[in-house]
Amino acid sequence: MEQFKGQPRLPKFAVPKRYDIRLKPDLTACKFGGSVAVDLDIVADTRFIVLNAAKLSVNAGSVSFTHQDSSKVFKPSKLEIFEEDGILVLEFGEKLPFGLGVLAIFFEGILNDNMKGFYRSTYEHNAEKKNMAVTQFEPVDARRCFPCWDEPAWKATFKITLADVPSELVTLSNMPVVEEKVDGHLKTVSYLESPIMSTYLVAIVVGLFDYVEDHTSDGVKVRVYCQVGKANQGKFALSVAVRTLELYKEYFAVPYSLPKLDMVAIPDFSAEAMENYGLVTYRDAALLFDEQHSAASNKQNVAVAVAHELAHQWFGNLVTMEWWTHLWLNEGFATWVSYLATDNLFPEWQIWTQFLDECTGGLRLDALEESHPIEVEINHADEVDEIFDDISYTKGAFLILMLQSYLGAECFQRSLASYIRKHASSNAKTEDLWAALEEGSGEPVNKLMNSWTQQKGYPVVSVKVKDQKLEFDQTQFLSSGSQGDGQWIVPITLCCGSYNVRKSFLLQTKSRTLDIKEFLDCSISETGSRGSNENNALCSWIKFNVDQTGFYRVKYDEELADKLRNAIENKYLSATDRFGVLDDSFALSMACQQSFASLLTLLGAYREELDFTVLSNLITISYKLARIAADAVPELLDLINQFLIGLLQYSAQKLGWDPKPGESHLDAMLRGEILAALAVFGHDLTINEASRRFHAFLDDRNTALLPADIRKAVYVAVMRRVSTSNRSGYESLLRVYRETDLSQEKNRILSSLASCPDPIITLEVLNFLLTSEVRSQDAIMGLHVSSKGRETAWTWLKDNWEHISNTWSSGFLMTCFVTAIVSPFASIEKVKEIDEFFKARPNPSITRTLKQSIERVRINAKWVQSVDSEKNLADVVKELVHRKY
């Protein structure tokens, strides 16, 4: 049996075709029993059957294999579960006959509280705490519910029965109910057999729910289930779901393949949502929307989350990745398509511009030496959780956008539809998608894209003008400033002085020269729309990676950079390009390839910025700059904060505190971000007004002075004034937290509490996260402490690590803890301490994340040292603060 330990994948002796699963959940004792009968095709000489099982008690006497033709029953001579590998090995006394048979197994398990496998979630009904039973199987936890071949390629059909369930409870699975038998206070519910699918998509929910319902034009029943009394909060998601199913049916040219779609809000849920075939599960905050108490950002998050999970019904469920190496086929596509759908439903949200902000996570992560290729080898089940990251999601999505831009939208759509039809109800690899796009476009897609998916990282294209020529040079961009050795086929786009004057080509070598005299001497006056003076102004800048459609950075020489800054000040560039110039400059400064002073000077060009996405990124960058300044040049921190406050005054005054009649969705979101930033940077007028409104809110929870869109900003402002000698704001927020039953409001409060600069209060907040008052998945909301709380948070993490690693055993949540608390440090000395601590406590599910976090600390430390050595920084900061605009 030892030969099967430590293997990345199951042996191929037997092929599962159909599962007949019977489960009996006990919500009071928090356990379950069950049986599974697997139609199995023996396809190789073997005395073994090896499948997955974890945290289950298998009744050895119940296990049998009955050959279909001979009806001979085989009983295993040995049975062993190897928990470390999550496998169940059955050894028989003789070789099993080829062909079909039935493997029968009886088992028992615990309804755990780890939010994976078959687990329990808690809720309140009529002031009484109750349990519901929920499944979360992706990536490798179906094996915690029933023995199975728990890999994406082992697709089968599933017949599910739930037995002895309290008759008043709602019972859901992937398919509609085919039979329900009530026996007194209990019922047994059977479901239609599913189409062929992977084990990680099987789903079961048992609990007390209300629902709202609608239908698509072709009769698909769509429901949103939520806690009793909250049905109205499901109406927005329901509307989005029905419209999105219609859109995808048309876009993919393939109808939704099941007769119903249920979406369920689960109080305890480790991820944001899960695309189970026909039964999509969500955190409350990702599915429910309260018209009065949810913010505009919550509404957008619900729309994008629903569009993302429904995209998986085609990309992932109908066509499934062959192995986790190709996870990006699921997540990258679902991310990209979710923005396509959201833009179609809500064009006024300008979601494609916001997509750039989403993708900064992928660019930042992929600039680490400890990044990984999009197609990454997975050698053990423990490794899978860690690749559900910004590489698979946002880099994957960005590459799809880049390829769509290169091939053209119509050609891309036709090729996708062909790919889905060809691989429906089966599995696919990355090269299968490239083949479909290559066939549909006639372009060498495989050659173009392999450099982007099979190697980690991306290029920075350095550009300079010399003798009326543009000189390009590509190198791998690393935030450490090190020299990488990657090379890519880069789709270069550029425009000169006007978006009407542009060029595109593929940079297939390390360097290239382009004669740009035709651009530099361009004459817009041919159109008759501009005078010669304006022509000269427009022709004085060149922007590369137009509209940021390429996954790469651009480094301009000093002359080109100065001209772009002038173009930004004069409002010549689009929002996407203003975003790109800023984000590239920030990344280059972090890598010590551009001075901190020049980055601050560039920020000054954005004083009259009003675009939501550009300002949102500017604020994120400003937070990071303030933290670096606090470590590098603490004597300049007050001046830098003054400068950052000045940057936001124009937009703050335009938006004000109160919503305006008919204002845009984006303005509603922006107001809160700007006010929160002003509070963090210490703007007294903002903090004072926030305090006034907060006290009005404490007196009247429905006051118009504190609409949902600015609540987080006000809560942050309140916490900035909290200290051990002035605790009232903190205690008032805890009171609001305890009173509300809206998860979005609880999350707003949790994410604000840690912004307090007092380390003693910070420790209280962190300890509060470990109490039963905070749901496990929500604790990560409160981890982003202020600069002054870093050491407190690190000591707290060390002191509580055993409890944290046991309670938050989900790989995703563990990585959030490590990233949030370790990454903000900026000293080499701290690297050694962090490394030694975790070396003594190895955990395979956070190995990659820990290395990435330590690398970030090294990058921060190097950046701090570089900023500290800038001789003219003080003069630049003083000039920027006092500059008259």
Side-chain angles (χ1 to χ4, degrees), residues 719 749-757 762 765-766 782-786:
M719 288 305 297
I749 295 169
L750 287 176
S751 61
S752 306
L753 293 178
S755 59
C756 178
T762 297
V765 171
L766 293 170
L783 296 176
H784 297 280
V785 302
S786 68

Side-chain angles (χ1 to χ4, degrees), residues 522-525 529-539:
C522 67
S523 176
I524 306 296
S525 59
S529 60
R530 299 187 188 275
S532 59
N533 290 337
E534 195 169 357
N535 294 342
N536 293 334
L538 283 168
C539 289

Side-chain angles (χ1 to χ4, degrees), residues 538-554:
L538 283 168
C539 289
S540 66
W541 55 269
I542 302 177
K543 171 65 173 66
F544 295 84
N545 196 9
V546 180
D547 290 328
Q548 300 303 112
T549 55
F551 196 80
Y552 58 93
R553 301 283 189 196
V554 180

Side-chain angles (χ1 to χ4, degrees), residues 215-369:
H215 294 77
T216 64
S217 60
D218 51 355
V220 176
K221 183 190 292 182
V222 183
R223 285 181 175 178
V224 174
Y225 287 87
C226 49
Q227 288 180 53
V228 173
K230 294 187 175 183
N232 281 342
Q233 295 180 25
K235 288 182 176 178
F236 176 68
L238 178 67
S239 169
V240 171
V242 170
R243 295 161 69 194
T244 301
L245 285 177
E246 303 274 14
L247 175 68
Y248 288 161
K249 178 181 70 172
E250 181 180 338
Y251 187 83
F252 297 128
V254 174
Y256 174 66
S257 52
L258 300 186
K260 63 93 175 175
L261 173 73
D262 294 327
M263 305 195 299
V264 190
I266 306 296
D268 300 284
F269 201 78
S270 62
E272 185 173 55
M274 174 61 209
E275 66 267 20
N276 314 298
Y277 220 167
L279 178 55
V280 184
T281 44
Y282 299 79
R283 285 188 187 191
D284 281 3
L287 186 65
L288 305 182
F289 178 75
D290 183 296
E291 288 289 347
Q292 183 177 359
H293 296 292
S294 296
S297 57
N298 299 133
K299 188 174 192 176
Q300 180 173 299
N301 290 344
V302 168
V304 174
V306 170
H308 181 105
E309 302 311 321
L310 268 52
H312 278 307
Q313 306 303 306
W314 285 262
F315 267 94
N317 300 7
L318 187 61
V319 181
T320 311
M321 72 222 153
E322 191 275 337
W323 179 236
W324 299 107
T325 293
H326 308 283
L327 173 67
W328 85 279
L329 282 178
N330 278 19
E331 301 303 348
F333 258 92
T335 302
W336 172 76
V337 172
S338 69
Y339 279 78
L340 185 83
T342 306
D343 183 58
N344 185 281
L345 299 182
F346 306 100
E348 70 277 12
W349 291 1
Q350 299 174 29
I351 201 75
W352 280 119
T353 306
Q354 293 187 60
F355 177 74
L356 296 177
D357 206 22
E358 175 85 5
C359 288
T360 57
L363 285 160
R364 306 255 193 278
L365 180 55
D366 211 25
L368 299 180
E369 294 177 55

Side-chain angles (χ1 to χ4, degrees), residues 364 582-583 586 603 617-625:
R364 306 255 193 278
L582 175 61
D583 204 59
F586 170 63
L603 258 64
N617 194 36
L618 184 145
I619 289 168
T620 301
I621 287 169
S622 297
Y623 288 147
K624 180 69 173 181
L625 298 185

